[in-house]
């Protein structure tokens, strides 16, 4: 009791810590009026080099709906952007204008797309674009457009040498950032960067054993190398060791189930050591719902393959008892599911 | 908010039960109780003490979460309809400055407001709705599809939001505004050879793209031959997004995620290709997302609860169950804890000044307002439309929503009927060899709906339908149940 209590406190602290960081970030929906550029800001209308451009206001029609109360700066920058877009002007000043627009709204995919058109037309130095993106991604790590832009630029350069580091930095700030993982997987797949990925994953799992994104990445890497019986054997040990540390870690249990299922030429037969491991935990008093759910799966599969009636009866009784315990004690929120599993099993037995 | 270890699960459940018992006590007594040394309260105390060492602000969060529990009085479990209505009404015309970051998602704002209003059973006057149609036309791109705002490039996500909004409005002007012919061209322009979809030309590819495209095509009842061509191999691509955990990631190999899982299974359901994924594993993964303590759903394994997954995960469950029913006999009960979900939304996700939220401590926004309410509606209506499972005050009952499109079932029926007429013209327009499609057209109507809906959607649309609508609905639902 004391042990799980301690780990619960740890979890709460960890979660609240993360949660707090997220709140700070999430609370700031727009940074248009922030920091370094508000002071020396000169409106486009006062800039000589833009004197030839007639800004185009947004056409919301006579009766605007969901009209955003734009700041004057936001409105003006996009008025000029619309003008540049209308003329299809692809120039250095247009490129700089897109950077201003994207700073105000990095989710504007039209601006990003047009920026790419400009970069292509000007044959700009794309390494400069990568540097620019380092900064933009740091400030907007949860934005679809910035990561996609990065991907296109990397493709154009055909140079992935900075992508692992970039995503590593992003994952240091948020180890479950979906976009960063997606970009990392893409770079690894496209440029065959699998070599050291397993040790990276190892480190992340060591830092946060509940980091499901890292477990998923582990699966991704091993799927690439193939689930041979050696690999599966090693992964079973690896995962069981981590479950011994934190028994109620759904990520590890899901991963264990995954590798057993995806094993090449998998016989469907259960690995004896996994069964013994689970039974040991159960006997020592562990009642994690993930453990119990795993046992239900194991016993059910065994029972349905068992031809000996007595053996089969023992196993089926175990399944029913565990389902009952789950629905009444250990996994009450899913009670209807466990009743359903028991009913399904009853039907399977009848068909057997 | 708190995902806690195994042994402690029992403890937190205990804490929860005790919190229920003290629900009628005042705040002062509540604080005294916290000081008592009964095991789980002690645990709470010690947890709070430990956390205090970390950061002052985090404690506040922890406190507010537990203080919420004292309000579990059934009488307080109420949907604050008036507050939410006022919030939504104030947002339809004008949005505050901090919505600048959604300047490329303006049709989304429209959709979230209209759908939330529908669920709460209020509507805007005809003139306002006409203005909404006019505005969405301004967002429509000359080459088809809708953009995030006037003058922007077309994009699948705002296209989905605009099509859904226009079907919610359901006037002939609204249907005309969709301009199905050019929409079709746009959908083809973002299709990839492997069957996946980019969100926009030169944009990213993920399962949202496939879902938005399929939803628009199906809701506007595009002819079977178009659907076949447009979504050739799409079902296979989507099925590749299912992970070893059972949920779907945004693209093959990515982590299972509630939002993408909804997109994946709803898209497969609309294509009637649910057999391409592992349905039992999917069901289990979805049900695992419900948090034992909070009652709401998390979006991924070992992540925090978030109100919006009430819909993304909540709607996935009945869709998944419908597949299982189709395969192996009916499942009458909804397998998740529908009361616990409603309780989480009602107790923890309503803002005092209107609007709903992700979790306590967050500001309200239109997105969470729409999807928390949609989730409540799913929880209430997922077992039976005639006998909704409403938690607390019976007046909490929301109107039903169609789990595949997330618009009212009635809006789906009317849209299908409306565009069916266009299909006749479409057939005439094509060369004679396409006449064989005649039967194909009807077949389509059967196929498109039956898989996902039959087990529980039967008559939901009838709630307050006029005679004419009822006729349309019954024609659709008979085609569904065949
Ligand atoms: Zn959310």
């Amino acid at each position: 009791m004391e042990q799980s209590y301690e780990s619960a406190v740890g979890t709460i602290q960890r979660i609240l810590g993360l949660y707090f960081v997220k709140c700070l970030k999430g609370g700031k929906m727009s940074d248009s009026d922030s920091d370094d550029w508000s002071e020396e800001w000169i409106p486009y209308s006062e800039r000589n080099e833009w004197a030839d451009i007639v800004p185009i206001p947004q056409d919301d029609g006579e009766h605007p709906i969901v009209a955003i109360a734009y700041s004057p700066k936001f409105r003006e920058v996009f008025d000029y952007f619309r003008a540049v877009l209308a003329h299809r002007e692809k120039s250095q000043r247009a490129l700089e204008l897109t950077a201003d627009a994207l700073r105000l709204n990095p989710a504007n995919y039209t601006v990003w797309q047009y920026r790419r058109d400009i970069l292509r037309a000007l044959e700009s130095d794309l390494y400069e674009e990568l540097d620019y993106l380092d900064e933009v991604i740091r400030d907007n790590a949860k934005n679809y457009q910035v990561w996609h832009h990065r991907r296109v630029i990397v493709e154009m350069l055909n140079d992935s040498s900075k992508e692992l580091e970039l995503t590593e930095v992003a994952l240091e700030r948020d180890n479950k950032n979906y976009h960063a993982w997606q970009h990392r997987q893409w770079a690894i797949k496209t440029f065959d960067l699998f070599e050291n990925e397993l040790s990276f994953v190892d480190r992340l799992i060591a830092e946060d054993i509940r980091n499901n994104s890292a477990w998923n990445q582990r699966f991704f890497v091993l799927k690439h190398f193939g689930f041979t019986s050696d690999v599966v054997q090693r992964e079973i040990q690896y995962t069981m060791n981590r479950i011994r540390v934190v028994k109620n870690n759904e990520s590890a249990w899901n991963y264990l189930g995954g590798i057993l299922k995806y094993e090449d030429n998998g016989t469907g037969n259960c690995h004896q050591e996994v069964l013994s491991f689970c039974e040991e935990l159960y006997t020592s008093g562990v009642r994690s719902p993930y453990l119990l759910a795993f046992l239900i799966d194991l016993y059910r599969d065994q029972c349905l393959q068992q031809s000996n009636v007595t053996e089969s009866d023992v196993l089926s009784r175990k399944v029913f008892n565990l389902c009952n315990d789950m629905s009444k004690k250990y996994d009450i929120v899913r009670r209807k599911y466990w009743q359903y599993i028991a009913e399904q099993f009853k039907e399977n037995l009848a068909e057997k | 908010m708190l995902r806690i270890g195994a042994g402690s699960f029992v403890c937190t459940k205990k804490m929860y039960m005790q919190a229920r018992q003290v629900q009628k006590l005042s705040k002062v007594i509540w604080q005294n109780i916290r000081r008592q040394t009964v095991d789980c309260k002690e645990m709470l105390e010690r947890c709070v003490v430990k956390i205090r060492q970390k950061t002052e602000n985090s404690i506040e969060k922890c406190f507010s979460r537990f203080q919420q529990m004292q309000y579990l009085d059934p009488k307080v479990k109420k949907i604050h309809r008036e507050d939410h209505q006022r919030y939504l009404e104030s947002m339809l015309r004008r949005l505050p400055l901090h919505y600048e970051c959604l300047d490329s998602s303006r049709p989304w704002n429209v959709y979230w407001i209209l759908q939330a209003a529908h669920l709460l059973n209020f509507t805007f006057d005809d003139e306002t709705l006409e203005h909404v149609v006019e505005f969405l036309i301004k967002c429509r791109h000359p080459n088809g599809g809708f953009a995030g705002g006037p003058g922007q490039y077309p994009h699948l996500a705002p296209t989905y939001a605009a099509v859904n909004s226009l079907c919610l409005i359901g006037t002939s002007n609204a249907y005309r505004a969709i301009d199905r012919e050019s929409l079709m061209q746009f959908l083809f322009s973002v299709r990839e050879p492997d069957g996946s979809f980019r969100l926009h030309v030169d944009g990213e590819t993920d399962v949202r793209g496939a879902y938005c495209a399929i939803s628009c095509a199906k809701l506007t009842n595009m002819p079977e031959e178009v659907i076949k061509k447009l979504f050739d191999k799409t079902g296979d691509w989507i099925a590749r997004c299912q992970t070893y955990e059972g949920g779907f990631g945004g693209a093959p190999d990515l982590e299972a995620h509630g939002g993408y899982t909804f997109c994946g299974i709803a898209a497969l359901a609309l294509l009637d290709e649910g057999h391409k994924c592992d349905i039992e594993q999917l069901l289990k993964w979805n049900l695992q997302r419900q948090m034992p303590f909070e009652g709401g759903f998390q979006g991924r394994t070992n992540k925090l609860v978030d109100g919006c997954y009430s819909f993304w995960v909540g709607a996935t469950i009945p869709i998944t169950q419908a597949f299982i029913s189709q395969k192996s006999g009916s499942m009458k009960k909804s397998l998740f804890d529908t009361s616990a979900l409603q309780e989480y939304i009602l107790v923890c996700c309503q803002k005092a000044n209107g609007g709903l939220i992700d979790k306590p401590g967050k500001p309200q926004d239109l997105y969470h307002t729409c999807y928390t309410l949609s989730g409540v509606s799913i929880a209430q209506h997922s077992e039976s439309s005639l006998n909704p499972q409403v938690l607390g005050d019976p007046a909490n009952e929301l109107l039903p929503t169609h789990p595949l499109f997330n618009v009212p079932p009635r809006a789906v029926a009317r849209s299908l009927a409306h565009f069916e007429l266009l299909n006749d013209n479409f057939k005439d327009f094509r060369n004679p060899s396409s006449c064989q499609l005649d039967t194909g057209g009807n077949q389509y109507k059967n196929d498109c709906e039956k898989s996902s809906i039959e087990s529980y959607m039967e008559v939901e649309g009838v709630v307050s339908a006029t005679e004419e609508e009822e006729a349309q609905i019954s024609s659709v639902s008979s085609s569904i149940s065949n």
Side-chain angles (χ1 to χ4, degrees):
Chain A
M1 193 63 215
E2 188 59 22
Q3 194 189 357
S4 65
Y5 161 80
E6 280 298 328
S7 83
V9 171
T11 310
I12 292 168
Q13 285 180 328
R14 187 178 57 81
I15 285 172
L16 283 176
L18 286 176
Y19 177 34
F20 182 55
V21 172
K22 271 171 100 186
C23 277
L24 278 181
K25 271 198 279 175
K28 204 176 68 172
M29 284 179 81
S30 159
D31 62 354
S32 58
D33 285 324
S34 73
D35 52 66
D36 45 336
W37 72 338
S38 41
E39 278 175 37
E40 66 257 35
W41 177 256
I42 301 163
Y44 276 77
S45 57
E46 292 168 22
R47 299 184 194 185
N48 284 334
E49 68 271 29
W50 285 94
D52 59 316
I53 293 287
V54 181
I56 300 178
Q58 178 163 273
D59 177 15
D60 266 10
E62 260 179 84
H63 310 284
I65 292 293
V66 291
I68 298 166
Y70 303 117
S71 69
K73 191 203 291 177
F74 190 104
R75 189 182 298 276
E76 197 203 26
V77 167
F78 280 94
D79 288 352
Y80 275 82
F81 174 73
R82 272 182 283 273
V84 161
L85 186 65
H87 297 127
R88 310 299 298 176
E89 177 183 320
K90 290 165 188 156
S91 62
Q92 190 57 36
R93 71 171 183 180
L95 188 69
E96 285 158 21
L97 174 65
T98 60
D100 275 348
L102 291 169
R103 204 154 166 183
L104 291 161
N105 181 14
N108 191 313
Y109 56 90
T110 304
V111 179
W112 281 111
Q113 192 174 333
Y114 193 63
R115 184 176 174 88
R116 286 192 284 278
D117 290 344
I118 298 173
L119 290 169
R120 288 181 189 117
L122 298 183
E123 295 179 12
S124 306
D125 178 0
L126 295 180
Y127 284 101
E128 257 176 50
E129 190 68 1
L130 283 191
D131 292 341
Y132 162 73
L133 278 173
D134 285 347
E135 210 178 297
V136 180
I137 287 178
R138 199 185 54 220
D139 297 337
N140 304 280
K142 293 208 170 170
N143 164 305
Y144 282 99
Q145 286 74 32
V146 296
W147 288 101
H148 178 66
H149 188 69
R150 178 85 185 191
R151 178 161 163 171
V152 176
I153 301 299
V154 171
E155 272 170 349
M156 286 165 77
L157 282 168
N158 194 27
D159 177 355
S160 63
S161 56
K162 293 172 80 185
E163 301 321 289
L164 291 186
E165 195 196 329
L166 173 83
T167 48
E168 189 172 338
V169 170
L171 293 172
E172 261 162 37
R173 296 166 138 239
D174 174 0
N175 62 11
K176 297 176 183 176
N177 180 335
Y178 207 86
H179 303 281
W181 281 111
Q182 180 164 15
H183 186 77
R184 192 174 176 91
Q185 283 198 353
W186 166 78
I188 289 174
K189 271 194 265 195
T190 311
F191 298 94
D192 192 15
L193 307 174
F194 285 94
E195 201 185 339
N196 299 315
E197 190 60 5
L198 203 55
S199 54
F200 175 72
V201 169
D202 263 346
R203 180 159 67 75
L204 262 73
I205 292 178
E207 283 167 13
D208 176 3
I209 203 166
R210 288 186 179 80
N211 182 349
N212 196 60
S213 308
W215 284 96
N216 183 76
Q217 185 78 347
R218 190 174 184 90
F219 196 90
F220 161 71
V221 174
L222 292 168
K223 192 179 118 191
H224 169 77
F225 290 121
F227 288 107
T228 61
S229 52
D230 284 356
V231 169
V232 170
Q233 203 55 41
R234 190 192 66 198
E235 289 306 299
I236 287 174
Q237 290 306 328
Y238 177 91
T239 310
M240 291 193 313
N241 286 338
R242 270 144 200 86
I243 291 175
R244 284 189 185 98
V245 179
V246 180
K247 296 175 186 71
N248 197 44
N249 179 8
E250 188 186 355
S251 298
W253 284 107
N254 286 353
Y255 182 79
L256 186 61
I259 48 174
L260 292 181
K261 209 172 133 205
Y262 279 74
E263 183 175 9
D264 294 348
N265 62 35
T267 54
N269 281 329
C270 129
H271 286 252
Q272 189 53 44
E273 67 213 294
V274 176
L275 181 61
S276 317
F277 168 72
C278 291
E279 288 181 331
E280 245 168 65
L281 289 178
Y282 188 84
T283 314
S284 70
V286 177
R287 291 294 180 272
S288 159
Y290 309 119
L291 166 67
L292 270 56
F294 212 90
L295 276 170
I296 289 172
D297 276 351
L298 292 176
Y299 289 144
R300 186 181 52 184
D301 292 351
Q302 269 193 332
C303 175
L304 293 174
Q305 282 167 26
Q306 180 61 255
S307 47
N308 179 312
V309 180
T310 333
E311 293 275 311
S312 164
D313 277 356
V314 173
L315 288 165
S316 66
R317 215 166 309 129
K318 282 182 180 172
V319 173
F320 288 123
N321 285 341
L322 283 169
C323 284
N324 191 46
D325 284 354
M326 286 293 255
S327 58
K328 299 221 165 91
K329 264 191 266 180
Y330 304 113
D331 204 21
I332 293 166
V333 75
R334 273 167 283 280
R335 60 196 171 280
K336 288 187 274 183
Y337 176 68
W338 295 113
Q339 287 156 8
Y340 159 75
I341 291 294
E343 279 161 29
Q344 287 293 104
F345 180 59
K346 210 178 279 172
E347 280 173 29
N348 292 339
L349 280 179
E351 286 163 15
K352 192 178 146 189
Chain B
M1 185 164 72
L2 310 171
R3 181 108 186 132
I4 306 179
S8 61
F9 159 66
V10 184
C11 246
T12 48
K13 196 72 203 174
K14 234 195 256 172
M15 280 154 52
Y16 181 75
M17 299 312 289
Q18 287 182 349
R20 277 168 163 281
Q21 286 160 16
V22 297
Q23 61 194 219
K24 284 177 189 148
L25 300 178
S26 71
K27 204 168 172 174
V28 181
I29 297 174
W30 169 250
Q31 279 166 356
N32 285 336
I33 289 171
R34 265 192 17 242
R35 265 179 239 115
Q36 290 174 19
T37 51
V38 190
D39 54 357
C40 64
K41 283 169 204 143
E42 184 191 72
M43 171 181 158
L44 168 62
E45 182 78 276
R46 287 175 58 180
C47 127
V48 167
V49 168
K50 284 223 170 186
I51 290 164
R52 186 174 294 142
Q53 296 159 359
K54 278 262 174 185
T55 140
E56 290 282 332
N57 290 284
S58 301
I59 310 170
E60 245 184 77
K61 297 268 149 46
C62 191
F63 269 36
S64 74
R65 179 68 190 83
F66 283 102
Q67 277 173 1
Q68 295 272 2
M69 304 314 295
Q70 74 182 305
Y71 294 119
L72 279 172
D73 186 331
K75 270 173 270 164
V76 190
K77 272 190 237 155
K78 222 173 177 173
I79 290 191
H80 309 144
R81 286 176 181 275
E82 294 77 19
D83 297 336
H84 302 321
Q85 178 165 350
R86 211 177 312 114
Y87 171 69
L88 293 165
E89 282 172 345
S90 74
M91 301 292 260
L92 186 63
R93 291 281 180 187
R94 241 179 121 67
L95 296 172
L97 176 89
H98 68 263
Y99 274 77
E100 276 180 351
C101 62
L102 288 174
D103 188 47
S104 295
S105 303
R106 291 178 65 196
W108 274 117
N109 292 312
V110 171
Y111 165 66
W112 294 327
I113 293 171
L114 295 184
Q115 167 67 1
H118 155 73
L119 295 166
L120 292 167
N121 197 14
F122 77 90
T123 178
F124 297 91
D125 62 78
D126 292 348
E127 197 192 1
T128 304
L129 291 177
E130 196 44 45
H131 293 165
V132 172
V133 175
E134 283 169 24
F135 171 70
L136 290 173
I137 291 173
K138 289 282 176 192
C139 294
R140 196 178 65 205
H141 195 271
N143 299 341
F146 291 80
Q152 300 178 29
Y153 292 154
H155 186 293
L156 270 174
T159 297
Y160 166 83
V163 168
N164 272 6
S165 300
L166 291 166
C167 289
L168 263 152
I169 294 171
T171 58
S172 54
N173 274 352
Y175 291 133
R176 206 173 310 120
I178 292 175
D179 193 22
R180 199 178 67 167
E181 283 294 316
S182 69
L183 173 64
M184 231 178 260
Q185 298 312 312
F186 171 62
L187 296 185
F188 275 108
S189 75
V190 284
R191 183 193 142 87
E192 289 289 296
D194 65 358
S196 65
F197 280 79
R198 288 188 185 274
L199 272 298
H200 59 103
V201 173
D202 194 26
E204 71 275 18
T205 304
D206 62 48
V207 75
R208 288 174 308 149
Y211 167 68
C212 291
I214 293 169
S215 175
C216 292
K218 287 291 189 178
L219 191 53
T220 59
N221 209 342
M222 285 185 188
E224 175 71 353
E225 65 164 1
V226 174
I227 299 272
K228 263 209 176 106
K229 238 169 118 181
L230 196 49
F231 302 116
D232 177 38
K233 294 192 222 144
T234 303
D236 297 308
W237 185 86
I238 295 170
R240 284 174 54 213
C241 298
Q242 189 175 28
T243 83
Y244 65 92
E245 290 195 277
F248 290 68
D253 296 320
L254 290 175
E255 184 185 4
H257 180 290
Y260 295 121
T261 300
F262 168 80
C263 290
I265 194 60
L268 286 179
L270 287 167
L271 295 174
D272 200 12
E273 296 181 27
H275 57 275
K276 290 187 169 164
C277 72
D278 182 340
I279 240 11
E280 290 287 342
Q281 186 81 7
L282 172 65
L283 176 69
K284 186 175 181 186
W285 182 85
N286 273 300
L287 294 168
Q288 290 288 2
R289 306 282 63 75
Q290 190 162 25
M291 315 283 275
F293 175 56
E294 299 89 324
F297 292 108
Q298 62 186 178
R300 298 185 245 165
T301 302
N302 276 332
K303 292 267 289 181
L304 307 180
V305 69
D306 179 344
C308 64
Y309 295 112
S310 308
F311 177 76
W312 300 125
V313 180
T316 303
I317 293 167
I319 296 171
T320 310
Q321 285 190 225
F323 272 121
I324 295 174
S325 297
Q326 198 182 30
K327 231 174 54 192
S328 53
S330 79
M331 279 173 107
K332 297 228 163 54
K333 272 192 209 155
S334 182
L335 293 184
F336 70 105
D337 190 332
T338 54
S339 305
L341 178 65
Q342 292 178 64
E343 189 166 86
Y344 174 67
I345 305 295
L346 264 53
V347 175
C348 300
C349 295
Q350 300 194 84
K351 252 328 198 220
N353 50 346
L356 291 98
I357 56 174
D358 157 354
K359 59 173 79 56
K362 298 263 179 158
Q364 69 272 63
D365 60 63
L366 293 172
Y367 166 84
H368 285 95
T369 302
C370 172
Y371 289 110
T372 49
L373 291 175
S374 301
V376 169
S377 169
I378 292 281
Q380 292 175 342
H381 300 278
S382 61
E383 280 186 15
S384 139
S385 53
L386 299 173
N387 183 24
Q389 316 284 303
V390 180
L391 181 82
D393 193 326
N396 287 343
E397 183 183 346
L398 300 181
L399 291 191
T401 187
H402 193 299
L404 297 176
F405 302 102
N406 203 25
V407 294
R410 184 154 41 114
V412 176
R414 294 181 58 164
S415 176
L416 293 178
H418 173 87
F419 285 104
E420 184 68 37
L421 296 174
L422 268 187
N423 286 354
D424 296 336
N425 302 336
F426 187 83
K427 267 173 268 164
D428 297 343
F429 178 75
R430 291 292 149 125
N431 59 47
S433 69
S434 66
C435 279
Q436 341 153 333
L437 285 167
D438 221 50
T439 48
N442 287 325
Q443 186 56 41
Y444 151 68
K445 219 173 163 188
N446 294 335
D447 288 351
C448 115
E449 298 299 324
K450 75 177 171 197
S451 54
S452 51
I453 319 177
E454 63 181 344
S455 71
Y456 74 105
M457 284 295 297
E458 317 94 344
V459 277
E460 286 191 344
V462 188
V463 173
S464 60
T466 65
E467 239 176 62
E468 178 207 359
E469 284 162 358
E470 235 166 55
Q472 285 171 345
I473 291 161
S474 66
S475 82
V476 172
S477 53
S478 70
S479 76
I480 290 166
S481 50
N482 289 335

